[in-house]
């Protein structure tokens, strides 16, 4: 016997899991994006220029923290949106935490734990896709 005897139940559970994963990771990122939308990105601009990059790159934070998460939530262009979401997290780690990559907090967790979780989950979504409950699935038919 397999661990999932009813194939339909397995597929349903798998797709609900993908939906929860998309909603949770992208939904949580929207808080960061909306904060920057309403309060500005001066801190991001500073980090970008301090790294020797042109200031306009800072505006990519709106794509990475608002547009791509919305696309992930609705399940549209999910794999490519997750790729750009992951690249946003690579930039965040590089710009804001490059000296903290292997640093531990007082409680034992990595200082870069949150952006690392966003990065790893977005990479996972690249591989697993959006699932049945997405616009990708609707347009694929």
């Amino acid at each position: 016997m397999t661990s999932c005897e009813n194939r339909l139940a397995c597929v349903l559970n798998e797709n609900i899991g993908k939906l929860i994963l998309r909603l949770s990771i992208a939904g949580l990122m929207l808080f960061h994006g909306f904060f920057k939308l309403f309060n500005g990105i001066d801190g991001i601009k500073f980090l970008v220029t301090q790294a020797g990059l042109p200031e306009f790159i800072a505006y990519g934070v709106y794509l990475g923290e608002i547009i791509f998460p919305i696309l992930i939530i609705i399940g549209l262009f999910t794999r490519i949106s997750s790729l750009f979401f992951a690249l946003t997290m690579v930039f965040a780690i590089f710009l804001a935490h490059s000296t903290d990559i292997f640093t531990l907090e007082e409680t034992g967790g990595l200082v870069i734990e949150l952006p690392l979780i966003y990065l790893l989950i977005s990479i996972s979504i690249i591989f697993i896709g959006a699932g049945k409950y997405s616009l990708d699935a609707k347009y694929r038919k």
Side-chain angles (χ1 to χ4, degrees):
M1 291 286 171
T2 62
S3 62
C4 191
E5 298 195 19
N6 182 342
R7 178 74 180 133
L8 181 61
C10 286
V11 170
L12 179 66
N13 289 340
E14 178 182 315
N15 286 299
I16 289 174
K18 289 177 181 181
L19 176 63
I20 292 169
L21 192 63
R22 287 189 356 253
L23 292 176
S24 60
I25 201 66
L28 289 171
M29 180 52 74
L30 282 176
F31 287 102
H32 296 273
F34 288 144
F35 178 84
K36 290 175 181 77
L37 183 64
F38 297 120
N39 295 292
I41 58 169
D42 290 338
I44 306 295
K45 288 178 182 178
F46 172 77
L47 291 172
V48 166
T49 56
Q50 187 179 31
L53 299 169
E55 187 179 275
F56 77 88
I57 290 177
Y59 290 95
V61 74
Y62 293 126
L63 293 171
E65 295 187 8
I66 297 174
I67 302 301
F68 294 127
I70 289 171
L71 290 173
I72 292 168
I73 287 170
I74 64 175
L76 184 62
F77 309 117
T78 306
R79 291 178 194 260
I80 192 74
S81 296
S82 294
L83 172 65
F84 285 110
F85 185 94
L87 291 174
T88 301
M89 292 301 97
V90 168
F91 265 92
I93 291 169
F94 168 71
L95 293 175
H97 303 287
S98 61
T99 60
D100 299 326
I101 291 178
F102 300 108
T103 305
L104 298 178
E105 294 179 339
E106 290 180 20
T107 58
L110 287 171
V111 169
I112 66 161
E113 192 169 280
L114 184 60
L116 187 60
I117 287 170
Y118 283 124
L119 172 62
L120 296 174
I121 291 177
S122 61
I123 290 170
S124 297
I125 294 171
I126 293 168
F127 287 103
I128 65 173
K132 178 181 175 182
Y133 305 113
S134 67
L135 291 178
D136 286 344
K138 179 180 179 180
Y139 291 122
R140 191 174 40 231
K141 290 183 179 183

